[in-house]
Amino acid sequence: MSRHRQFKRDIEEDEDYEDFDPMEDTDSPDYYIARVIEKTGPAHKDQVLKALQANDWNVQAAIKVINAAKQKTQKPAQKASPQKASPQKNAAPAPKQPEIKVAQPQIKIAEPSKKLEEDLPKLDAKSSSTEEVKTPHIEESKTPILSPQVSKQDLNADYPDIYPDIVHDGKPTVNLVVIGHVDAGKSTLMGHLLFLLGYIDPKVMHAYERDCKAIGKDSFQYAWVLDGTTEERQRGVTIDVACKEFSTENREVVLLDAPGHKDFVPNMISGAAQADAAILVIDSCQGAFESGFEGENHHGQTKEHSFLARSLGVSNLIVGVNKLDMMNWDQGRFLEIQNRLNPFLRTVGFRDNSVTYIPISGLGGVNLTSKPEIPELASWYNGPCLIELIDSLPPSQKDAKKPARLCIMDSYKLSHGTLLGQIVSGKIESGTISINDKIVIIPTGIKGRVKAIEKAGHSATKAYAGENVDVVLKDAEGDFGLVLPGHVLCSELYPVPQVKNFKIKAVTFDILFPVTREQNLIMHIQSLKIPVKVKRILQQIDPINGKVIKERPRCLTKFMSAILEIESSRRVCLEKFSNCKGLGRVTLRDHSETVMAGMVIELLE
Ligand SMILES: Nc1nc2c(ncn2[C@@H]2O[C@H](COP(=O)(O)OP(=O)(O)OP(=O)(O)O)[C@@H](O)[C@H]2O)c(=O)[nH]1
């Protein structure tokens, strides 16, 4: 079954997409403030910020709050008018709630509405009625039940192994993300590989070739296999992560083609967060490798993507030295790239024996599915071709025996086809999911059972940690329609904790400006991005032996390891890394730059 995989984040983005301007810094609070002010007209920046924070950075909801607050300051007399009071004089007056409709039901998890009530009177000092400003509640009646509370003591308990040893039915899965600098040739490489493996009908390929020519993008026909949207095709740039599945002799491969453009790094993070292994595609042309590696301020996406992939749990890397056809298959250039890249990959934590370099041409289809016949290349390379390397990648090694966690990437309802009903899809980060299992979805707290499972295009009775699956739900205790990408499906007995404060052990990236206390950052976890603050820098530690180098350092500079306390702007589903790697790993960014990545070591509250 072909899946619609859009990797939405919790910030409402559907409508954002149309007028999305990649030149804007979508990681910055200022971006969201500007989006609100654009619609409401002049408003106090702090007021907008607070409305955004109180509404989980939902732009539409914040606009409504600001407009409602504006209306009240403009028409105080009218609002206070006794004629407008409830006709039932003895009954408590029903608050006049503006009818607010939002595109996606906004899920209130904890304090936000309370915080809103506290904040607005202060913002609107002239208003004499605090009651008046309490009114803007978003779809209150749809607020789902909260997740089961986990006591503070339980937060950091180690989970028991609740599943027996895994015996897979069928080939083990590898989740493979394709990363690299913009235009390195990622989509072309994977499109051509899928074509050579027989997954793309030659007639379709022919049509792509013809249509590409028609819009003057002659060499993009293979990229179109993965770049499916009109915008991607017209601009010749991957924007969102594309997902395709294919089989090799010994593996089921879930292929995730990530965008290379700097502005779409958050989408790349969504893809890499699901991966076990990566293909890092390098444009070997003179100057192209150099700008992809060094880039602006030493931040080429070659470096940033490899750092992010490693910190998100990818340990095996195939480096595809691509476009070598443009360099006459020069072995010297191949080795030069290897020698410059390898020390950096070691620095970010890749082991030498987990990294393999391969000379290729994605456009020419050379060294992808068979040994190269081109004499200039065959004279010095007789290693495995790309598909052989993929076939020997170690399968997913997730927390197979721990309680089940499925990080939801998509949630939708189907009324026809093989899968019917409410479906959630995503990757199982830990445990096993079987038909009839009792589940709970956090943060909604909605319970239900598993009706059917589909993986790699086939129905299954069981799915394991590391696999990408579609799960059909049944027996809802609550409204499955409220389940959104970013939520977590869990075994009913072990719901994932939600916290605002936690400690991480992190390493800083090649940063220009130091990390300081109170610094605001954007945290990426799985497909979510959430504003957070560095509450304390507790210790600088030695990255090799973990010994404390300095207590309470004032700041952190590049490539430093440290223990930090982080405060999130709202409760978020998190795990200790030792309990679930996929939900215990975070990436922190600022103004579109990756600042650091780390693992959660303690959940506080
Ligand atoms: N000569 C040559 N050109 C290539 C090769 N691979 C890709 N290209 C060209 O490089 C350009 C960019 O290719 P894409 O596949 O769109 O690159 P990408 O890395 O997927 O781009 P983004 O996802 O937008 O970062 C296209 O014009 C391709 O035809 C190759 O091996 N040799």
Side-chain angles (χ1 to χ4, degrees):
M1 184 193 149
S2 79
R3 262 177 267 164
H4 172 65
R5 212 21 85 80
Q6 214 188 337
F7 302 110
K8 288 176 207 156
R9 293 178 291 282
D10 66 336
I11 294 168
E12 193 177 84
E13 283 188 336
D14 267 354
E15 71 220 2
D16 294 2
Y17 230 63
E18 275 169 20
D19 56 0
F20 178 67
D21 177 359
M23 298 313 289
E24 288 183 344
D25 174 13
T26 56
D27 272 0
S28 156
D30 287 346
Y31 168 82
Y32 295 97
I33 292 169
R35 297 277 322 272
V36 174
I37 292 178
E38 201 178 277
K39 293 281 186 315
T40 60
H44 196 288
K45 197 174 163 185
D46 285 350
Q47 184 182 12
V48 178
L49 181 64
K50 282 176 180 169
L52 280 163
Q53 285 170 339
N55 284 285
D56 293 351
W57 297 84
N58 182 310
V59 170
Q60 295 306 318
I63 289 170
K64 276 155 190 158
V65 170
I66 298 300
N67 282 340
K70 276 187 165 192
Q71 266 182 5
K72 283 169 213 322
T73 47
Q74 280 161 9
K75 302 176 190 170
Q78 196 186 355
K79 292 275 168 195
S81 165
Q83 282 92 324
K84 296 214 172 228
S86 164
Q88 298 168 319
K89 292 199 173 152
N90 294 331
K96 287 262 166 206
Q97 302 232 355
E99 212 193 316
I100 296 171
K101 292 258 184 281
V102 284
Q104 289 184 351
Q106 185 64 26
I107 292 176
K108 296 264 170 209
I109 301 157
E111 296 86 345
S113 61
K114 187 165 160 260
K115 189 171 186 307
L116 189 64
E117 288 166 15
E118 289 163 7
D119 287 340
L120 278 178
K122 281 182 240 141
L123 299 169
D124 184 12
K126 285 185 196 147
S127 167
S128 56
S129 165
T130 52
E131 205 179 317
E132 291 277 300
V133 289
K134 285 181 188 172
T135 49
H137 283 281
I138 316 263
E139 303 255 336
E140 187 84 0
S141 60
K142 284 196 177 176
T143 303
I145 48 172
L146 298 183
S147 65
Q149 287 300 307
V150 183
S151 76
K152 195 174 174 188
Q153 210 179 4
D154 292 338
L155 282 178
N156 292 294
D158 288 327
Y159 291 137
D161 287 349
I162 61 170
Y163 297 106
D165 282 335
I166 307 294
V167 183
H168 275 278
D169 45 3
K171 299 175 196 173
T173 303
V174 172
N175 296 286
L176 181 64
V177 66
V178 188
I179 56 175
H181 196 65
V182 65
D183 281 347
K186 300 176 289 298
S187 306
T188 300
L189 172 68
M190 297 328 290
H192 206 154
L193 183 74
L194 289 169
F195 176 66
L196 292 174
L197 292 174
Y199 284 85
I200 313 298
D201 188 329
K203 280 189 210 143
V204 173
M205 207 63 244
H206 185 69
Y208 286 165
E209 202 175 335
R210 185 195 57 215
D211 295 348
C212 279
K213 276 196 184 128
I215 60 162
K217 295 214 168 277
D218 289 33
S219 59
F220 279 84
Q221 66 271 26
Y222 296 113
W224 280 23
V225 171
L226 290 136
D227 292 344
T229 67
T230 313
E231 191 183 358
E232 287 177 318
R233 289 178 175 185
Q234 279 173 355
R235 290 173 59 180
V237 171
T238 306
I239 294 172
D240 214 335
V241 180
C243 178
K244 297 265 182 213
E245 285 154 11
F246 65 91
S247 281
T248 63
E249 203 181 329
N250 299 300
R251 299 279 180 270
E252 293 292 347
V253 182
V254 178
L255 177 72
L256 303 146
D257 180 34
H261 198 287
K262 188 176 188 310
D263 293 320
F264 308 122
V265 168
N267 293 1
M268 176 270 163
I269 291 174
S270 296
Q274 302 174 72
D276 314 298
I279 300 181
L280 172 64
V281 180
I282 304 288
D283 182 341
S284 64
C285 294
Q286 206 63 52
F289 163 69
E290 286 72 12
S291 66
F293 190 56
E294 295 301 346
E296 208 184 306
N297 301 330
H298 300 276
H299 278 196
Q301 266 58 63
T302 302
K303 275 187 177 175
E304 187 173 19
H305 280 196
S306 4
F307 172 77
L308 286 169
R310 183 67 198 99
S311 47
L312 290 163
V314 169
S315 49
N316 287 281
L317 193 66
I318 298 171
V319 182
V321 181
N322 194 31
K323 305 195 190 180
L324 215 54
D325 53 310
M326 304 282 280
M327 300 299 293
N328 297 321
W329 301 103
D330 178 14
Q331 186 183 15
R333 180 64 172 162
F334 178 78
L335 293 174
E336 182 193 349
I337 290 171
Q338 185 170 339
N339 291 338
R340 283 200 60 193
L341 204 51
N342 224 26
F344 174 76
L345 293 178
R346 265 188 222 130
T347 317
V348 298
F350 284 102
R351 295 206 184 114
D352 281 356
N353 58 7
S354 311
V355 180
T356 319
Y357 291 81
I358 177 169
I360 46 171
S361 166
L363 189 61
V366 179
N367 212 7
L368 306 192
T369 53
S370 58
K371 302 244 185 255
E373 287 169 11
I374 294 174
E376 293 89 332
L377 177 59
S379 65
W380 59 268
Y381 184 82
N382 66 355
C385 64
L386 185 63
I387 202 72
E388 289 170 331
L389 288 180
I390 295 173
D391 192 53
S392 60
L393 283 170
S396 197
Q397 293 289 334
K398 297 285 164 182
D399 307 287
K401 297 183 182 180
K402 301 288 183 195
R405 304 272 183 262
L406 168 75
C407 292
I408 297 171
M409 292 285 165
D410 215 346
S411 170
Y412 51 97
K413 205 167 181 172
L414 283 186
S415 51
H416 60 274
T418 48
L419 295 184
L420 288 180
Q422 183 66 39
I423 299 164
V424 292
S425 51
K427 185 171 167 210
I428 305 178
E429 285 299 335
S430 63
T432 300
I433 294 177
S434 303
I435 288 181
N436 272 329
D437 274 0
K438 285 185 172 177
I439 55 97
V440 59
I441 294 171
I442 305 295
T444 65
I446 297 166
K447 292 182 181 175
R449 278 179 187 271
V450 174
K451 182 176 162 196
I453 300 170
E454 189 175 270
K455 55 181 184 183
H458 306 288
S459 58
T461 52
K462 207 171 199 175
Y464 307 95
E467 291 181 328
N468 263 289
V469 290
D470 293 323
V471 176
V472 189
L473 303 173
K474 65 176 181 181
D475 301 345
E477 288 176 37
D479 179 1
F480 281 147
L482 294 172
V483 176
L484 295 174
H487 293 179
V488 184
L489 180 150
C490 314
S491 9
E492 194 193 4
L493 290 178
Y494 295 93
V496 60
Q498 293 178 77
V499 290
K500 272 191 91 172
N501 291 282
F502 50 94
K503 286 186 193 168
I504 59 168
K505 188 173 171 182
V507 58
T508 56
F509 188 43
D510 191 5
I511 45 177
L512 286 179
F513 301 103
V515 176
T516 53
R517 211 177 133 220
E518 297 291 316
Q519 186 170 346
N520 290 317
L521 296 167
I522 299 289
M523 177 173 82
H524 294 249
I525 171 156
Q526 291 287 329
S527 59
L528 293 182
K529 63 178 202 178
I530 300 154
V532 298
K533 186 169 76 183
V534 175
K535 208 166 168 192
R536 289 186 193 90
I537 304 175
L538 298 167
Q539 292 167 334
Q540 187 201 336
I541 55 170
D542 185 312
I544 310 286
N545 57 26
K547 284 192 182 153
V548 178
I549 296 175
K550 195 170 184 182
E551 293 285 352
R552 308 247 162 187
R554 289 170 70 89
C555 65
L556 298 172
T557 55
K558 67 177 177 179
F559 294 128
M560 277 187 177
S561 294
I563 310 283
L564 303 101
E565 189 179 327
I566 303 292
E567 183 182 280
S568 169
S569 57
R570 65 171 172 81
R571 286 190 183 278
V572 55
C573 295
L574 274 185
E575 289 281 22
K576 266 197 331 176
F577 183 78
S578 55
N579 271 336
C580 176
K581 294 184 181 59
L583 282 162
R585 227 182 244 120
V586 298
T587 307
L588 297 151
R589 306 188 81 228
D590 184 26
H591 290 92
S592 301
E593 302 287 354
T594 302
V595 173
M596 61 185 151
M599 54 180 96
V600 178
I601 53 170
E602 193 180 341
L603 302 175
L604 297 172
E605 54 180 328

